[in-house]
């Protein structure tokens, strides 16, 4: 499909270039032919005038008619050759240019189809499990009320997971838009405290202490998405730490940037997994994380989108079994 569109676009480029080139050639031919005729006419007149003054001088044509005709022929051949050369050069250049023009569109289409494949894949597992559970229980003629209640509870859990997935997908597509609407002065200390309130129950359940040492720093940002960002990192730090651990939040401001560190002493991440950490649906394999912790591998992709929206960047330092530090950098504006 891409190749056909590329060829079509090349043909359009060629058509436009050749129309311009041929129009120019016709115009150049017309002007030069006229000019040659004029020169020939002027020379003839001058010779005739000389002949009438001095009868002895024989009229002698300076430009021969044959020579004139040949010049015109040579001019038209040269123009045809130039046009052929332009046709070949424009064809080759157009073909490459068409590829460059279509590349971003192709990348976008590829990305969209990858996204649809990923989402369908993620949806299939909970839907299949829901379907088979319901089917098995429906076939059971002696289904007791207790079993039915258990089934409904399990179904509700799956539905909650699906809702969590769709909420995260919506967030991901929302934050992909890089428009800077709702930007205002935001105090990061306030945001971190609000995020802490949101995950306090999860932290309590795992007996995890959160030491929030973020200072009162103001940046230009979107309050809601920054709150989301802090919740993602705090939630992960708790999810991927064992009971009784501590999570520390610190901040540092320099002339050019503001750094927020989320430090945990949890499971840590293998260095081979770090480059893929922010990929959509990526979850670290094999470890306890996948089986025990609920998640779809969308949190860090959403975090990345939010950071990019704020012109920021992120760094990860981690050691398996020791813990992880996510450092988020925001540009700092001296005017605040
Ligand atoms: P989710 O937590 O929903 O699986 P994320 O995108 O937030 O998705 O995280 C992707 C993966 O990165 C997680 O599955 C986990 O394996 C790993 N990860 C993220 N944060 C941490 C952390 N603080 N400590 C250890 N592993 C982490």
């Amino acid at each position: 499909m891409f190749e056909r569109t590329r060829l079509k676009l090349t043909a359009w480029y060629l058509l436009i270039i050749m129309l311009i080139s041929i129009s120019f050639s016709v115009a150049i031919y017309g002007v030069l032919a006229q000019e040659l005729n004029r020169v020939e006419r002027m020379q003839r007149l001058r010779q005739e005038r000389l002949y009438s003054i001095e009868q002895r001088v024989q009229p002698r044509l300076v430009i021969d008619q044959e020579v004139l005709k040949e010049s015109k022929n040579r001019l038209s051949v040269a123009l045809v050759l130039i046009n052929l050369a332009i046709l070949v050069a424009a064809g080759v250049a157009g073909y490459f240019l068409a590829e460059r023009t279509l590349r971003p569109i192709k990348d976008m289409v590829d990305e969209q189809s990858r996204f649809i494949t990923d989402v369908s894949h993620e949806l299939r597992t909970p839907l299949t499990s829901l379907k088979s559970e319901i089917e098995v229980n429906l076939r059971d003629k002696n289904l007791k009320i207790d079993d039915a209640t258990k089934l409904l509870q399990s179904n509700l859990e799956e539905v909650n997971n699906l809702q969590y997935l769709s909420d995260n997908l919506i967030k991901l597509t929302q934050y992909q838009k890089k428009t800077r609407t709702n930007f205002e002065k935001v105090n990061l200390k306030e945001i971190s405290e609000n995020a802490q309130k949101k995950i306090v129950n999860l932290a309590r359940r795992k007996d995890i202490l959160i030491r929030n040492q973020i200072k009162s720093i103001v940046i230009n940002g979107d309050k809601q998405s920054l709150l989301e960002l802090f919740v993602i990192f705090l939630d992960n730090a708790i999810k991927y730490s064992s009971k009784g651990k501590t999570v520390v939040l610190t901040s540092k401001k320099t002339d050019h940037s503001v750094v927020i560190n989320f430090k945990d002493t949890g499971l840590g991440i293998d260095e081979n997994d770090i480059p893929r950490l922010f990929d959509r649906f990526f979850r670290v394999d094999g470890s306890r994380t996948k089986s025990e912790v609920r998640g779809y591998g969308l949190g860090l992709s959403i975090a990345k989108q939010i950071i990019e929206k704020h012109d920021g960047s992120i760094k990860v330092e981690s050691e398996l079994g020791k813990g992880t530090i996510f450092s988020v950098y925001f540009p700092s504006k001296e005017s605040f």
Side-chain angles (χ1 to χ4, degrees):
M1 208 263 289
F2 177 67
E3 198 52 35
R4 259 185 43 206
T5 317
R6 186 180 176 179
L7 286 172
K8 262 191 207 166
L9 195 60
T10 310
W12 277 108
Y13 283 157
L14 262 185
L15 185 73
I16 294 166
I17 292 169
M18 288 325 291
L19 272 177
I20 296 171
S21 174
I22 290 169
S23 319
F24 260 114
S25 304
V26 170
I28 286 170
Y29 181 83
V31 171
L32 282 180
Q34 244 180 18
E35 201 56 23
L36 283 173
N37 287 339
R38 194 179 68 87
V39 169
E40 187 263 342
R41 224 175 24 247
M42 297 284 290
Q43 295 286 17
R44 191 160 8 103
L45 278 175
R46 193 187 278 171
Q47 287 295 323
E48 278 170 9
R49 213 177 303 135
L50 268 175
Y51 178 67
S52 56
I53 297 167
E54 290 184 44
Q55 291 292 321
R56 279 164 296 153
V57 179
Q58 284 298 308
R60 177 170 55 87
L61 281 179
V62 173
I63 298 177
D64 188 315
Q65 280 302 324
E66 279 302 310
V67 174
L68 190 68
K69 207 171 155 197
E70 195 193 323
S71 294
K72 284 182 186 172
N73 281 344
R74 284 168 70 99
L75 179 63
S76 38
V77 170
L79 284 172
V80 167
L81 285 179
I82 289 171
N83 272 291
L84 281 176
I86 290 175
L87 180 77
V88 174
V92 175
Y95 189 66
F96 283 104
L97 210 68
E99 201 267 345
R100 294 199 68 172
T101 313
L102 292 172
R103 171 70 43 202
I105 302 166
K106 184 180 184 297
D107 289 348
M108 208 173 72
V109 173
D110 287 351
E111 169 61 19
Q112 265 181 1
S113 69
R114 254 197 319 271
F115 183 73
I116 292 168
T117 314
D118 288 348
V119 173
S120 326
H121 185 77
E122 291 298 325
L123 281 173
R124 194 183 297 152
T125 320
L127 284 177
T128 313
S129 122
L130 249 177
K131 186 170 176 263
S132 58
E133 254 184 3
I134 296 171
E135 278 173 354
V136 168
N137 282 281
L138 273 180
R139 263 186 251 126
D140 185 356
K141 297 274 180 282
N142 308 313
L143 185 72
K144 296 192 185 75
I145 189 81
D146 277 0
D147 297 331
T149 312
K150 266 190 212 147
L151 168 75
L152 286 176
Q153 272 165 354
S154 157
N155 287 353
L156 186 64
E157 206 175 303
E158 294 289 3
V159 171
N160 282 337
N161 283 344
L162 285 171
Q163 196 174 25
Y164 174 78
L165 172 64
S166 78
D167 286 349
N168 276 305
L169 285 171
I170 291 169
K171 279 181 204 161
L172 188 67
T173 40
Q174 257 173 8
Y175 292 130
Q176 260 164 1
K177 294 176 204 144
K178 297 279 182 285
T179 43
R180 282 171 155 249
T181 42
N182 308 326
F183 265 50
E184 55 186 317
K185 289 177 186 177
V186 182
N187 190 324
L188 293 176
K189 184 178 166 66
E190 234 171 72
I191 297 281
S192 66
E193 285 165 356
N194 289 341
Q196 208 178 326
K197 278 183 208 152
K198 286 199 169 231
I199 49 88
V200 73
N201 285 338
L202 183 67
R204 249 186 229 141
R205 247 179 278 144
K206 287 188 81 172
D207 196 20
I208 284 176
L209 173 73
I210 296 171
R211 284 204 345 241
N212 186 348
Q213 298 171 351
I214 296 206
K215 295 189 192 100
S216 181
I217 299 171
V218 177
I219 65 161
N220 193 23
D222 171 11
K223 222 177 212 167
Q224 201 50 46
S225 58
L226 286 172
L227 178 66
E228 185 77 48
L229 181 79
F230 275 71
V231 170
I232 291 170
F233 285 116
L234 278 175
D235 186 60
N236 276 352
I238 298 167
K239 277 195 313 192
Y240 303 109
S241 290
S242 41
K243 277 192 167 185
K245 298 278 184 183
T246 304
V247 174
V248 185
L249 268 75
T250 53
S251 63
K252 197 175 161 198
K253 187 174 189 292
T254 65
D255 283 351
H256 306 291
S257 65
V258 172
V259 191
I260 306 290
N261 294 311
F262 299 84
K263 182 174 186 290
D264 67 60
T265 46
L267 299 174
I269 305 159
D270 191 304
E271 62 174 325
N272 295 321
D273 289 325
I274 291 181
R276 295 169 60 206
L277 219 51
F278 298 91
D279 288 357
R280 216 173 38 216
F281 296 115
F282 176 77
R283 303 199 75 203
V284 171
D285 241 340
S287 63
R288 290 175 7 227
T289 58
K290 247 186 176 171
S291 52
E292 288 177 15
V293 184
R294 183 178 87 151
Y296 285 97
L298 288 175
L300 290 181
S301 331
I302 296 173
K304 189 171 161 236
Q305 301 290 349
I306 297 173
I307 294 166
E308 281 175 2
K309 193 172 161 170
H310 287 83
D311 289 334
S313 59
I314 185 157
K315 205 176 91 191
V316 191
E317 286 170 71
S318 190
E319 206 176 323
L320 266 183
K322 292 216 167 148
T324 308
I325 307 175
F326 283 98
S327 306
V328 182
Y329 295 78
F330 293 112
S332 101
K333 301 260 179 342
E334 278 312 304
S335 49
F336 290 126

